[in-house]
């Protein structure tokens, strides 16, 4: 248990999709003056060194962010994400990659709060070191699913929740959906994002059914498949389920997904964008 380290995967194609969606969601949230609460149930280490041993061992970021960050024909909707990457990497070498905590934190205003949960002792230590001086950010080495129950609804009744488990355990597929279902019952106007890998299509189909059978309304499914589905060879694609997405997100993804297929994929790659449940 707890063998997953995100440092091996930081900046890969799945992070590109997840982090582009996270930026667009945050950009939308800060348009209103009202304070918000952000919750990241599976936070990881917060920031990653792409020249470090972990990232260099897999080289996954070379097939993700490395292919995009210096392009000059980006769709407008990828700009906030790529601007953040460029800000962290002022030279010509890609050295630093922000995880979801650093992305969310980059949008926080004076009255917003960010809650981060990370179980792995090493990643928790790194995360804590990064945020210990930030008054509006709280870091805990505890179960993010469990913590979510106590935090919803947030006092300001505005907030986002990111659920990004490692899926080392097959139970994560149902647990992630159960967590947003429970959250939705207490806070139905919140925005919930669940990230998932496409490893076995059956697991995703079950998640979708679980959502369609629930009370949740307004659910968008965003998917980027680098290879066709294949139940045997690891992660071939990635997706996000977004409950109460920003109203422009679908339209923005219509522009982003074909671009990602073109620049990160091959002739066999594909995307899909579905309104799973109407408003
Ligand atoms: C995919 S990584 C997170 C990456 C991060 N959200 C990002 O986008 O930069 C998943 C993390 O969840 C942690 N984890 C696994 N189960 C957890 C749980 N029940 N509660 C909190 N953290 C957990 C793992 O140690 C791992 O660091």
């Amino acid at each position: 248990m707890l063998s997953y380290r995100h440092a091996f995967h930081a900046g890969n194609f799945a992070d590109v999709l997840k982090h582009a969606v996270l930026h667009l969601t945050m950009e939308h949230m800060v348009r209103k003056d009202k304070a918000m609460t952000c919750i990241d149930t599976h936070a990881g280490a917060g920031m990653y060194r792409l020249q470090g041993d972990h990232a260099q061992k897999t080289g996954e970021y070379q097939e993700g962010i490395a292919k995009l960050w210096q392009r000059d024909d980006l769709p407008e909707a990828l700009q906030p994400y790529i601007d953040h990457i460029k800000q962290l990497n002022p030279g010509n070498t890609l050295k630093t990659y922000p995880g979801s905590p650093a992305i969310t934190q980059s949008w926080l205003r004076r009255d917003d709060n960010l809650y981060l949960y990370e179980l792995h002792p090493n990643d928790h230590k790194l995360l804590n070191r990064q945020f210990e001086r930030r008054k509006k950010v709280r870091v805990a080495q505890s179960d993010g699913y469990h913590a979510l129950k106590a935090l919803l609804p947030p006092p300001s009744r505005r907030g986002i929740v990111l659920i990004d488990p490692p899926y080392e355990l097959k139970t994560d597929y149902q647990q992630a959906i159960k967590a947003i279902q429970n959250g939705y019952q207490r806070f139905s106007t919140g925005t919930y994002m669940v990230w998932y890998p496409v490893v076995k299509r059956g697991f995703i189909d079950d998640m979708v059914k679980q959502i369609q059978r629930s009370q949740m309304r307004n659910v968008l499914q965003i998917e980027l498949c680098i290879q066709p589905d294949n139940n045997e060879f690891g992660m071939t694609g990635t997706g996000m389920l977004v409950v109460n997405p920003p109203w422009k997100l679908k339209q923005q993804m219509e522009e982003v997904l074909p671009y990602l297929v073109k620049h990160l994929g091959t002739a066999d790659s594909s995307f899909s964008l579905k309104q799973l449940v109407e408003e």
Side-chain angles (χ1 to χ4, degrees):
M1 277 267 282
L2 280 188
S3 60
Y4 182 92
R5 304 294 306 277
H6 196 66
F8 289 103
H9 312 291
N12 68 5
F13 75 91
D15 263 8
V16 168
L17 181 72
K18 171 178 54 184
H19 294 156
V21 169
L22 181 58
H23 267 293
L24 291 172
T25 303
M26 292 304 293
E27 183 186 45
H28 169 81
M29 291 299 287
V30 300
R31 291 225 163 105
K32 256 199 196 151
D33 255 354
K34 208 168 166 204
M36 65 178 161
T37 295
C38 306
I39 304 165
D40 193 337
T41 59
H42 296 72
M47 195 70 92
Y48 301 93
R49 287 186 310 114
L50 295 179
Q51 304 302 320
D53 291 348
H54 293 84
Q56 287 297 321
K57 186 166 181 198
T58 61
E60 286 186 23
Y61 75 97
Q62 298 284 8
E63 301 302 313
I65 187 59
K67 287 189 166 172
L68 296 179
W69 77 296
Q70 290 183 312
R71 295 199 63 88
D72 56 11
D73 61 350
L74 294 166
E76 198 185 327
L78 274 181
Q79 209 62 58
Y81 168 53
I82 299 297
D83 284 349
H84 191 205
I85 301 291
K86 284 193 170 155
Q87 189 195 323
L88 292 168
N89 295 278
N92 232 341
T93 318
L94 190 53
K95 294 182 180 159
T96 304
Y97 187 80
S100 52
I103 292 171
T104 306
Q105 195 265 327
S106 73
W107 289 95
L108 293 188
R109 302 154 306 172
R110 215 186 50 179
D111 293 330
D112 299 330
N113 290 299
L114 172 59
Y115 293 86
L116 304 171
Y117 298 93
E118 174 51 50
L119 276 184
H120 196 289
N122 296 0
D123 281 352
H124 169 259
K125 203 190 278 174
L126 293 167
L127 190 65
N128 204 34
R129 205 179 292 157
Q130 193 185 333
F131 291 105
E132 61 195 347
R133 290 208 185 86
R134 304 268 178 186
K135 275 216 286 226
K136 292 287 167 186
V137 184
R138 262 153 267 180
V139 178
Q141 189 181 0
S142 45
D143 181 347
Y145 292 125
H146 188 73
L148 195 55
K149 293 186 183 153
L151 292 173
L152 299 179
S156 67
R157 297 293 196 274
R158 280 194 88 228
I160 66 137
V161 176
L162 173 65
I163 301 187
D164 180 20
Y167 295 90
E168 281 180 305
L169 305 170
K170 290 193 184 81
T171 48
D172 271 328
Y173 291 92
Q174 297 98 56
Q175 212 175 349
I177 304 300
K178 188 119 189 61
I180 52 170
Q181 235 173 300
N182 287 339
Y184 189 88
Q185 276 165 8
R186 267 166 292 136
F187 177 43
S188 63
T189 53
T191 293
Y192 299 85
M193 288 167 273
V194 175
W195 174 85
Y196 62 81
V198 181
V199 176
K200 285 197 165 71
R201 180 55 63 183
F203 293 138
I204 321 286
D205 293 343
D206 290 345
M207 284 172 115
V208 167
K209 276 187 216 142
Q210 217 177 322
I211 287 183
Q212 286 169 330
R213 283 197 294 253
S214 78
Q215 296 172 333
M216 289 186 278
R217 310 296 311 158
N218 194 10
V219 187
L220 184 66
Q221 183 182 25
I222 303 166
E223 224 176 74
L224 171 66
C225 292
I226 296 297
Q227 292 161 48
D229 286 0
N230 181 325
N231 285 348
E232 272 151 49
F233 299 113
M235 181 169 75
T236 53
T238 182
M240 298 281 284
L241 294 160
V242 189
V243 183
N244 295 324
W247 67 272
K248 259 175 45 182
L249 187 64
K250 187 161 186 249
Q251 192 187 320
Q252 289 169 317
M253 285 295 123
E254 275 163 7
E255 192 191 6
V256 167
L257 288 166
Y259 185 88
L260 294 182
V261 164
K262 182 168 173 202
H263 295 288
L264 304 185
T266 65
D268 289 334
S269 305
S270 63
F271 69 88
S272 83
L273 189 58
K274 283 185 209 150
Q275 185 73 32
L276 274 188
V277 187
E278 295 299 328
E279 282 187 52

